[in-house]
């Protein structure tokens, strides 16, 4: 059975099994662009119940407070168990005691660590005969929550993954046909890039959207491109993993975890038992304030819609950016007097990140200078795509920086 | 066309790609210009600043020629 297609490479489950049985080390802090070795390293850690920190391939170590650069890509010896087949591996993964650390763009300062166990990461994974033989387009960053969700859903059923993350439209369509893709889970931005409709792809039976608000027009187009697909939405967060799936244009709180949610001032509060662990989480009476504002459609049935966000995180193509983190880095450039970073509504990414900058007197800097510098300090999605030089920033009446 | 070329080249420079000496209507934004979703978003914002038109508002465009048609409306 094939495990993964990545560019021209293909990897089967026998190869994964062989590597797990022969490798005598793993990387607790692994930074790589090779998605196969990334997955094998993660599995190696999980089956041995060893801790793992998931790092984006383009991350700069100083983007994360307290991350020791010298630990990155340093192997650690590991005692090896022998697995006779993949079923034994899947079972070991399900029972893993590993602590898996991922990062969330907190509402202040730098990204914050969130520690998960396998139970929170695989809460919504479904296993069984009806899930066998699925072929998944892998369209998410593998270190982020949504990417982990898709990985475990596919892996625990020994499905095939086809890596299409950040790949151009023609490549994605070619893979859908050549590899016989049946399932796609991706951000609305990913689907927008598949437009306009040119022909239909009948083999795709399930299309899932997550990560940002989507719009009805996009649904219409997806229905044309994938006429046999059921379409649904998922709500997942770095803090809590996957929590709800959609029902029509609403989300529904599952009956089993209904008592773990509260609504206060329209804000969705999540009980701490559903979350990973982080020093940055603040609880009020054991509930975490998600920052997501919702409205009930049918409170008795747990049906609701998302309205907006309470805090200032900007959703850029499914990535959440904390504008104050970007402003702090910009202020580190010589000659910048003031900076304001904000999101501007955009038909491709949902929001595009923009910066208005005030230069000190006599200083000459170009948009390119700023971008080049930021590229050495921040991950690509955090670099503002439009930089305007202004005489002064608009301030609100209270004197606070105004975000548009 | 010149303004559009300036915008496209400003995005390419930001990605360390060489500037284009010429742009032609049949050029594909994704395969010929090597634009990702983030680059396309930057393109829309900059075109909107310059021409006050959201080229992606009613469906995606694929080529330079399609942009020119939208700007001509």
């Amino acid at each position: 059975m094939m495990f993964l297609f990545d560019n021209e490479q293909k990897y089967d489950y026998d190869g994964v099994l062989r590597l797990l049985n022969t490798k005598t080390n793993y990387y607790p802090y692994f930074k790589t662009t090779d998605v196969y070795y990334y997955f094998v390293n993660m599995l190696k850690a999980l089956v041995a119940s060893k801790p793992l920190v998931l790092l984006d391939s383009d991350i700069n170590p100083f983007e994360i407070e307290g991350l020791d650069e010298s630990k990155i890509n340093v192997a650690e010896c590991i005692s090896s168990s022998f697995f006779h087949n993949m079923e034994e591996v899947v079972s070991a993964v399900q029972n893993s005691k590993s602590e898996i650390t991922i990062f969330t763009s907190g509402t202040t300062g730098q990204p914050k660590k969130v520690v998960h166990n396998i139970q929170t990461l695989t809460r919504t994974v479904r296993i069984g005969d009806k899930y066998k033989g699925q072929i998944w387009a892998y369209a998410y960053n593998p270190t982020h929550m949504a990417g982990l969700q898709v990985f475990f859903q596919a892996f625990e059923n020994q499905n095939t993954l086809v890596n299409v993350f950040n790949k151009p439209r023609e490549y994605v369509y070619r893979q859908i046909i050549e590899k016989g893709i049946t399932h796609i889970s991706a951000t609305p931005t990913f689907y927008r890039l598949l437009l306009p409709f040119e022909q239909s792809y009948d083999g795709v039976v399930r299309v899932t959207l997550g990560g940002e608000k989507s719009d009805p027009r996009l649904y219409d187009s997806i229905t044309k491109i994938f006429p046999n697909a059921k379409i649904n939405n998922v709500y997942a967060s770095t803090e809590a993993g996957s929590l709800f799936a959609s029902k029509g244009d609403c989300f529904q709180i599952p009956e089993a975890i209904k008592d773990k949610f509260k609504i206060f001032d329209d804000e969705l509060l999540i009980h701490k038992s559903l979350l990973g662990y982080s020093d940055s989480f603040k609880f009020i009476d054991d509930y975490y304030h998600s920052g997501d504002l919702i409205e009930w459609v049918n409170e008795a049935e747990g049906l609701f819609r998302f309205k907006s966000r309470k805090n200032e995180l900007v959703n850029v193509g499914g990535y959440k950016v904390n504008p104050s983190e970007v402003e702090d880095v910009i202020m580190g450039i010589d000659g910048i007097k003031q900076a304001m970073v904000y999101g501007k509504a955009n038909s491709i990414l949902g929001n595009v990140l923009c910066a208005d900058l005030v230069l000190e007197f006599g200083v000459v800097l170009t948009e390119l200078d700023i971008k080049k510098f930021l590229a050495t300090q921040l991950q690509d999605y955090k670099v503002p795509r439009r930089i305007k030089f202004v005489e002064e920033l608009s301030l609100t009446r209270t004197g606070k920086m105004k975000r548009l | 066309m010149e303004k559009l070329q300036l915008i496209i080249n400003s995005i390419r420079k930001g990605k360390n790609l060489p500037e284009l000496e010429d742009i032609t209507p049949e050029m594909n934004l994704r395969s010929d210009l090597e634009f990702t979703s983030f680059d396309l978003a930057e393109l829309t914002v900059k075109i909107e600043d310059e021409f006050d038109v959201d080229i992606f508002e009613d469906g995606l465009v694929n080529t330079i020629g399609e942009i020119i048609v939208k700007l001509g409306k």
Side-chain angles (χ1 to χ4, degrees), chain A residues 111-354:
Chain A
K112 304 287 186 288
K113 284 182 185 177
V114 184
V115 183
H116 284 280
N117 56 38
I118 196 71
Q119 284 71 34
T120 56
L121 290 181
T122 58
R123 186 187 297 127
T124 54
V125 168
R126 299 286 173 266
I127 304 170
D129 285 345
K130 72 171 189 174
Y131 302 99
K132 298 278 180 234
Q134 297 177 349
I135 299 172
W136 286 79
Y138 196 75
Y140 282 113
N141 188 326
T143 65
H144 290 201
M145 186 52 91
L148 292 170
Q149 302 290 319
V150 175
F151 172 77
F152 285 114
Q153 175 61 40
F155 174 78
E156 293 198 9
N157 287 289
Q158 290 178 58
N159 295 158
T160 301
L161 297 162
V162 182
N163 190 18
V164 295
F165 178 56
N166 279 344
K167 293 284 194 276
R169 174 175 188 257
E170 291 72 22
Y171 181 89
V172 175
Y173 279 134
R174 203 167 60 237
Q175 297 303 307
I176 290 174
I177 293 174
E178 283 178 12
K179 306 298 187 302
I181 286 170
T182 57
H183 287 61
I184 307 176
S185 179
T187 58
T189 295
F190 177 87
Y191 295 107
R192 279 185 208 117
L193 288 180
L194 294 181
L195 307 181
F197 165 77
E198 277 165 0
Q199 68 170 92
S200 63
Y201 296 82
D202 297 345
V204 177
V205 294
R206 171 70 80 171
V207 162
T208 304
L209 293 95
E212 51 179 301
K213 233 177 175 172
S214 59
D215 58 274
R217 211 169 47 199
L218 182 61
Y219 272 65
D220 290 345
S221 304
I222 292 175
T223 311
K224 274 193 206 151
I225 299 173
F226 306 114
N228 298 327
K230 270 192 182 173
I231 304 175
N232 70 336
N233 271 297
V234 290
Y235 172 96
S237 68
T238 311
E239 293 78 15
S242 182
L243 290 174
F244 325 112
S246 65
K247 194 169 178 183
D249 64 341
C250 314
F251 285 92
Q252 187 163 32
I253 298 178
E255 192 61 39
I257 50 173
K258 212 172 170 177
D259 58 332
K260 303 278 193 285
F261 299 94
K262 276 186 188 173
I263 309 298
F264 181 73
D265 270 356
D266 291 346
E267 186 180 2
L268 180 74
L269 313 189
I270 306 170
H271 191 261
K272 67 176 185 185
S273 60
L274 291 178
L275 300 176
Y277 171 79
S278 175
D279 289 339
S280 71
F281 290 166
K282 288 190 184 69
F283 296 104
I284 300 175
D285 294 336
D286 289 346
Y287 282 85
Y288 172 73
H289 288 237
S290 69
D292 286 313
L293 300 178
I294 69 154
E295 61 187 0
W296 286 117
V297 177
N298 182 332
E299 191 170 349
E301 290 181 18
L303 279 176
F304 68 90
R305 269 195 208 102
F306 284 104
K307 284 198 302 188
S308 56
R309 294 277 311 169
K310 197 178 178 182
N311 57 35
E312 293 174 327
L313 295 185
V314 181
N315 193 325
V316 182
Y319 293 94
K320 283 181 191 155
V321 179
N322 172 7
S324 70
E325 181 195 354
V326 181
E327 284 167 3
D328 288 348
V329 176
I330 294 176
M331 290 308 290
I333 303 173
D334 275 349
I336 305 254
K337 195 171 157 194
Q338 274 184 305
M340 178 167 69
V341 172
Y342 56 95
K344 182 176 187 300
N346 180 269
S347 44
I348 298 171
L349 293 175
N351 291 289
V352 64
L353 207 60
C354 301

